[in-house]
Amino acid sequence: QGAVSELAYPVERYSTGGMEHLAWAPLWRALLSDLRRGAAPADIAARFHRSLACAVADLAIALCDANDVQSVVLAGGVFQNALLSQGVRERLEQHGIVVLTPSRFPAGDGAISLGQAVVAMARARPLQ
């Protein structure tokens, strides 16, 4: 589907076997091209972060739309990066998706482990 934003490097989305994927090769080719032409490191970094945020948010939006989901949880160590977290949040919220983030537990592996434990517990005890 090409570039996700004019200010971002291109990231392509594709499906195989019922799974959605992001292809990062176009991003790296464009980023390396910017390096070769002498673009400012700050500009490259800004475009890189914008690319990640747009690609992740756009994929989440597509999955939410396809599955009638109205909220997304942003957790994991990658969302401790303020630029990425803010960029994804803004794009999701512009689409009307409620964004939830950890507040009582760490955003990194600790929260993911806790989430896995909650899912396992829920599966072990059927709803009554």
Side-chain angles (χ1 to χ4, degrees):
Q1 292 181 343
V4 293
S5 169
E6 291 177 17
L7 300 175
Y9 292 118
V11 177
E12 294 176 0
R13 193 170 73 222
Y14 64 96
S15 299
T16 57
M19 295 288 295
E20 295 290 324
H21 303 273
L22 295 171
W24 301 104
L27 174 146
W28 291 113
R29 281 192 292 274
L31 186 147
L32 292 171
S33 175
D34 276 356
L35 280 173
R36 281 191 295 276
R37 69 176 180 79
D43 292 341
I44 293 172
R47 283 188 77 188
F48 176 78
H49 280 87
R50 184 171 196 62
S51 302
L52 293 179
C54 289
V56 168
D58 289 352
L59 180 55
I61 290 166
L63 292 171
C64 285
D65 288 348
N67 293 285
D68 196 30
V69 171
Q70 288 81 35
S71 61
V72 170
V73 177
L74 301 183
V78 70
F79 288 109
Q80 291 175 331
N81 177 311
L83 290 175
L84 181 60
S85 182
Q86 180 182 354
V88 171
R89 173 184 288 278
E90 288 173 0
R91 202 161 177 96
L92 291 173
E93 288 176 345
Q94 287 171 356
H95 194 76
I97 295 172
V98 175
V99 177
L100 306 169
T101 56
S103 61
R104 293 185 180 177
F105 304 99
D109 293 344
I112 292 172
S113 298
L114 177 63
Q116 291 169 335
V118 169
V119 168
M121 185 176 73
R123 287 183 177 165
R125 296 193 329 200
L127 294 176
Q128 298 179 15

